[in-house]
Amino acid sequence: MSGITSLVGAPGVKITAPTLGGFVVPRPDRVADLDALVTGHRVTLVVAPAGFGKSTLLASWTATVCDRPVAWLALDASDDDPARLLHGLAHAVAAVVPGGAARTVDELLVALDRAPDGLVVVVDDVQALGADVVRDVLGRLVRYAPPGLRLVLAGRYDPPLPLHRLRLAGELGEVRERALAFDGTEVARLASSSGVELSASEAEELRGLTGGWPVAVRMSLLSLAAGDDPGARVRRMPALAVPVADYLVDEVLDGLPAPLAEFVLRATVDDVVDPVLAERLVPGGARLLDECVARGLFLTRTVPNARDEGPVYRWHALFAAQCRVLQGRRDPDLLVATHRLVAEHRRSTDWVSAVRHASAAGDDAVAAGLLHAHWADLLVEGDTALLRRLLAQLPATLARDPGVLLAAAAADVQDGDGDLVALAHARRAAQGAWSDTDELVGRLLGPVLSSAGQTPAAVAWATPALDAPDVDPATRAFGLYLVGRVEAQTGVDTRRARDHLTEGATVAAANGLPAIAAGCRAEQSLLLADDGELTRADDTAGHVLDQGAEHGWTRTSALAAAHLARGVTAFWQDRLADARRHLAAAQTGAGRQRPEVAVRAAAVLALVCLAQDDGAGFARARAAVGDDPRWRTVASFADVLGVVDTVAHVRHGDLAAGLRTAHEAADVAHPLATVWEAETQRLAGHSDAADRALDRLDGLRIPAHVEVSAALTRALLRSAQHDEAGAHRELEHALAVAAPEGVRRPFADRADDLHALLVDHLAWGSAHEEFVAGLLASAPPARTSRPAVRAWELTAREHEVLVRLRSTMTTTEIGAALFVSTNTVKTHQRSIYRKLGVAGRREAVRLAAANGLI
């Protein structure tokens, strides 16, 4: 199955104001009043029961009067979660404010602060949120939003916000039921546009009967249009003792042609309908759906179907709910059959909706089967709240279903509320009905999701079990992900981990499990980064993040792992700002579910802060790393955890402390720790000890960034020993490994000592002149020989050209490297020669080197 790809929840639907249909009554006075309220108040409430036209009024205002940018977010029950609500708000703001994307409330507030004054954020159907979510997200938005922001909240009742305080401060505008109700003139206007001729008194009588409730007025007019003498029927219409909507739905259906009425009753079993579903419900359903739209039967067009099968419509929720009630009264068996048909239709596009309809149809086996096939994907996605809601919706007959118990226990383990004990309890509660598949998954979940006992031995038994012919694809994909994740994190057999993750991604993708497939690829991206394949790691992780954005994921651990991979890659490529952004996202996304990801992200972030001379940031990151012994013995973490303190001591000039921590790091036997031991020995003047440390790397397979680091330390050792040929050979080897993957951080770590050697290396001759020139141009040394005067001030572009003049590159090659024309390079050359007071290239390079310009 395809996981959660509900058309209802697609971002394009929820962040777009509803389209105004042909049956909307113009309400210029109401729209003008709303515009004045929004202009004069920080917060505006639009509160009334269902069917009072709140969304329509707001959509009319945005379409006709409002001259401000509007970010629109429509809510539903699935948004009753802080992370989901924040995700929706961020998408809505980003749709109208470039760079408005955010992952936290604070980031959203920063994005709003950058937005132009007058930005309006409309949040529709606020009643879908619980009190805690309103206070945690909207409450902070109300309290801390910039003064120029205008926030409009629409719902069926007041949200739990400090409204009285806003009223006293004059910052709250309010539109209530009385202002939204139709008056007699509006009823008459709507009647005329609907083909119903009513006198002023008859329109006023209809207004009185319905209380001006717009949806009730509209439904009344539909029933009146089906017969003769509508005015007389209005006068005979009883004061309703039953709910108006119930009576009017009945009236509307009785006034429709029988085939169309039957179609409406069946099609409203779900809030969303498209032509394909319409045809499955009733032969000729697509044509009947078009007729419903033409009659204005409470349908709002949303977005095109993903498979280009036609438009998608949403029924008015009140109308659809009342139709379902009537269908249940008239033909409960047909209602059950319709739920069953919709469940089957939704299986491949929205399995969550399919579970709901299967449960309503009493198809417990179908509901359980769908849940069994997809709960692991939802677990990897990180949405345990939705998983719990689905479990709660299942009938009591499934309360002790082994798979259901396993899913509930897994959610507890994922959230840190359970461990092996919770899984054992689930097994006992299943009363011996736990299958071999359940046993397989249960044994894997405890040590993996609780981050305890992550050793190859803990999962080695699982591989042959997953190869058994009776293991279903969903279990196999999930099992391969869990096994591969442990193998990847322990780093004992990365090739085996890659194979398991590759197979897991393939099986998951083929069986509609996008989160598991993304999780496998995210772990692969970490392996690639650790192995020094930085370009592939960055591409793979970027694909995972793009997929997460497409699906609207906010908390999946796959995204945290992908951010970590991109952060590690950016660090080694010396893109420190990018590294910092991704590592912070990895820490936030890891949460309690992936402590090892959070720890490692903090460790790399500490190195980034050291590189940026950010002492406060380093202290925070180092504190987040802590001294957790679980990770210091894992090889894949040693490249950061064991090195952080060594780098810190070296940067602060405490080489003695650096040597102590270097020895401790090297005890983990990770190659990078060994390199830093050698580098610290070199800085301390112990060249023999440095050489001995590097000799321990002989014969080992080491990743590109470690090999570059080792070769640079060797080059500096040879240079200090006046072995210039050896120094240049080692440097050229480092460049040959670094250039294809863009490895720059090891050069930056040794920038002061390497600069002269790099400058000489251009003259010595290199196959990587452009890479060397880029290194020199990105970090020009301070001028030391002469005081700076205006004639010596080169532009940034002139400096880039000057650095490359030291090489054997032609002007054409320099232009290609800098993406400028040959004539532009020659123009810069003439400017350089004029400022330096020289006649040609060789003299310019000599004079620039003598004066510290290169």
Side-chain angles (χ1 to χ4, degrees):
M1 309 304 164
S2 63
I4 303 176
T5 56
S6 170
L7 296 169
V8 181
V13 182
K14 304 183 73 169
I15 64 173
T16 304
T19 302
L20 297 174
F23 294 91
V24 174
V25 177
R27 311 184 76 180
D29 293 341
R30 305 289 200 279
V31 170
D33 291 344
L34 175 62
D35 188 66
L37 287 172
V38 174
T39 300
H41 301 85
R42 288 181 56 237
V43 180
T44 299
L45 287 182
V46 182
V47 176
F52 266 88
K54 301 180 291 295
S55 301
T56 301
L57 178 65
L58 287 168
S60 298
W61 170 66
T62 61
T64 60
V65 174
C66 181
D67 58 357
R68 305 174 178 86
V70 176
W72 183 288
L73 176 63
L75 304 177
D76 56 41
S78 68
D79 296 304
D80 187 19
D81 176 86
R84 280 180 173 265
L85 175 58
L86 179 61
H87 173 71
L89 287 168
H91 267 280
V93 172
V96 295
V97 178
R103 291 175 58 88
T104 67
V105 175
D106 290 339
E107 289 178 1
L108 179 60
L109 289 169
V110 170
L112 292 172
D113 195 53
R114 292 198 300 264
D117 282 346
L119 171 68
V120 179
V121 176
V122 176
V123 184
D124 199 9
D125 289 326
V126 177
Q127 76 280 347
L129 305 177
D132 290 341
V133 176
V134 170
R135 285 190 289 265
D136 290 348
V137 180
L138 295 183
R140 292 187 64 194
L141 193 60
V142 168
R143 184 173 183 179
Y144 298 113
L149 178 74
R150 293 296 179 262
L151 182 64
V152 180
L153 305 177
R156 296 179 185 176
Y157 43 80
D158 287 355
L161 293 169
L163 302 179
H164 186 60
R165 187 176 67 197
L166 290 170
R167 286 192 192 98
L168 291 177
E171 297 181 330
L172 182 67
E174 299 178 70
V175 179
R176 299 286 177 175
E177 178 177 335
R178 178 174 295 183
L180 290 168
F182 281 165
D183 59 24
T185 302
E186 290 171 324
V187 171
R189 192 181 301 147
L190 179 59
S192 178
S193 67
S194 302
V196 177
E197 293 302 322
L198 296 178
S199 66
S201 62
E202 291 165 347
E204 181 59 31
E205 188 167 352
L206 180 57
R207 186 210 63 77
L209 286 169
T210 60
W213 185 16
V215 68
V217 172
R218 175 69 187 134
M219 294 171 75
S220 297
L221 292 171
L222 283 172
S223 67
L224 293 171
D228 298 330
D229 196 358
R233 294 178 63 198
V234 168
R235 291 190 295 273
R236 295 194 302 269
M237 190 177 289
L240 300 177
V242 294
V244 174
D246 189 13
Y247 170 80
L248 290 173
V249 167
D250 208 354
E251 284 289 293
V252 169
L253 294 176
D254 285 348
L256 296 176
L260 186 60
E262 178 64 23
F263 169 75
V264 170
L265 276 179
R266 298 203 69 185
T268 49
V269 75
D270 194 72
D271 286 342
V272 173
V273 62
D274 58 67
V276 176
L277 176 58
E279 284 291 336
R280 295 196 65 178
L281 290 170
V282 176
R287 176 185 55 79
L288 293 170
L289 179 59
D290 288 340
E291 188 173 348
C292 288
V293 174
R295 287 173 175 260
L297 279 175
F298 309 105
L299 284 167
T300 301
R301 182 166 180 167
T302 56
V303 293
N305 186 278
R307 296 186 300 276
D308 295 323
E309 293 167 343
V312 178
Y313 296 95
R314 178 191 283 275
W315 294 102
H316 186 285
L318 182 62
F319 178 77
Q322 291 296 323
C323 285
R324 288 193 287 271
V325 170
L326 286 178
Q327 178 76 309
R329 292 175 187 164
R330 294 181 179 184
D331 194 341
D333 292 337
L334 181 60
L335 179 61
V336 168
T338 306
H339 275 299
R340 184 175 293 116
L341 188 151
V342 175
E344 179 61 31
H345 179 72
R346 298 280 188 234
R347 287 176 71 105
S348 61
T349 58
D350 183 1
W351 71 270
V352 174
S353 175
V355 168
R356 177 170 61 83
H357 285 287
S359 298
D363 288 341
D364 296 355
V366 173
L370 286 167
L371 189 66
H372 290 172
H374 290 278
W375 70 261
D377 199 61
L378 205 56
L379 192 76
V380 176
E381 185 183 328
D383 200 343
T384 52
L386 178 57
L387 177 56
R388 293 180 194 281
R389 287 199 294 272
L390 285 173
L391 293 171
Q393 291 173 8
L394 294 176
T397 55
L398 294 177
R400 303 186 75 82
D401 178 87
V404 170
L405 290 169
L406 178 59
D412 290 339
V413 175
Q414 178 93 318
D415 291 341
D417 298 326
D419 50 19
L420 290 172
V421 176
L423 293 166
H425 175 72
R427 183 181 184 184
R428 288 194 300 272
Q431 296 179 333
W434 205 335
S435 68
D436 291 342
T437 296
D438 296 330
E439 180 74 23
L440 172 61
V441 174
R443 286 185 63 189
L444 277 171
L445 280 174
V448 175
L449 296 188
S450 63
S451 299
Q454 285 200 352
T455 64
V459 296
W461 58 270
T463 302
L466 290 170
D467 290 333
D470 58 341
V471 174
D472 62 272
T475 299
R476 180 169 177 75
F478 188 40
L480 288 167
Y481 164 68
L482 295 176
V483 170
R485 195 171 103 180
V486 171
E487 292 171 337
Q489 298 296 358
T490 53
V492 174
D493 190 344
T494 57
R495 180 167 298 178
R496 184 178 178 84
R498 282 199 195 189
D499 291 343
H500 284 147
L501 292 169
T502 299
E503 185 179 0
T506 302
V507 175
N511 288 276
L513 302 167
I516 294 177
C520 290
R521 286 192 288 269
E523 300 303 325
Q524 286 177 312
S525 69
L526 273 174
L527 285 173
L528 290 168
D530 286 338
D531 285 346
E533 297 182 53
L534 303 184
T535 302
R536 285 185 61 197
D538 199 54
D539 289 345
T540 303
H543 177 76
V544 172
L545 295 178
D546 289 344
Q547 187 180 3
E550 179 183 340
H551 283 274
W553 294 334
T554 57
R555 295 177 299 181
T556 170
S557 57
L559 299 190
H563 277 299
L564 175 56
R566 297 202 86 177
V568 170
T569 297
F571 169 73
W572 285 112
Q573 292 179 338
D574 207 31
R575 296 181 287 110
L576 300 182
D578 288 343
R580 193 160 192 155
R581 175 168 56 87
H582 284 295
L583 294 170
Q587 285 182 288
T588 302
R592 293 191 301 172
Q593 301 167 5
R594 297 295 301 273
E596 77 281 8
V597 170
V599 166
R600 186 174 181 191
V604 182
L605 183 58
L607 292 176
V608 172
C609 291
L610 285 173
Q612 294 179 322
D613 293 324
D614 179 3
F618 170 78
R620 289 192 298 270
R622 181 62 183 83
V625 174
D627 295 309
D628 193 331
R630 289 180 299 172
W631 311 120
R632 286 193 173 273
T633 57
V634 177
S636 62
F637 292 101
D639 59 343
V640 286
L641 293 180
V643 167
V644 167
D645 292 336
T646 299
V647 177
H649 290 314
V650 169
R651 283 192 171 274
H652 289 99
D654 191 349
L655 295 182
L659 285 173
R660 288 195 300 271
T661 54
H663 284 304
E664 294 173 5
D667 289 340
V668 184
H670 191 281
L672 185 61
T674 301
V675 170
W676 269 101
E677 178 191 2
E679 178 64 12
T680 309
Q681 294 282 16
R682 182 190 72 80
L683 292 169
H686 307 153
S687 57
D688 290 342
D691 278 324
R692 287 195 298 272
L694 292 173
D695 287 344
R696 299 205 302 269
L697 300 177
D698 290 346
L700 298 180
R701 180 179 176 273
I702 58 178
H705 51 274
V706 178
E707 188 171 358
V708 172
S709 301
L712 291 178
T713 295
R714 284 194 177 99
L716 291 171
L717 287 169
R718 300 291 86 79
S719 181
Q721 296 163 356
H722 306 294
D723 180 3
E724 297 305 320
H728 285 295
R729 282 195 301 271
E730 292 290 351
L731 180 55
E732 183 67 7
H733 175 65
L735 293 168
V737 177
E741 298 294 342
V743 179
R744 290 173 174 265
R745 188 64 230 167
F747 295 90
D749 284 333
R750 302 159 177 79
D752 291 343
D753 293 344
L754 272 176
H755 181 78
L757 187 59
L758 283 170
V759 171
D760 290 342
H761 197 66
L762 284 175
W764 184 78
S766 172
H768 307 282
E769 289 180 334
E770 172 53 28
F771 191 74
V772 176
L775 291 170
L776 291 171
S778 64
R783 302 174 187 129
T784 57
S785 298
R786 297 184 183 179
V789 295
R790 178 169 297 275
W792 285 76
E793 292 297 333
L794 303 181
T795 67
R797 180 64 82 184
E798 287 169 351
H799 184 266
E800 290 178 332
V801 172
L802 176 61
V803 168
R804 287 160 176 79
L805 293 179
R806 178 69 182 256
S807 70
T808 59
M809 299 171 70
T810 66
T811 53
T812 300
E813 290 170 338
I814 294 173
L818 298 178
F819 300 101
V820 297
S821 68
T822 301
N823 286 337
T824 299
V825 174
K826 291 179 178 178
T827 299
H828 288 311
Q829 280 184 269
R830 289 193 293 270
S831 177
I832 292 168
Y833 299 163
R834 184 179 68 256
K835 290 180 179 181
L836 298 185
V838 298
R841 179 170 180 166
R842 180 174 299 178
E843 188 179 358
V845 169
R846 181 189 59 76
L847 191 60
N851 287 275
L853 286 174
I854 58 173

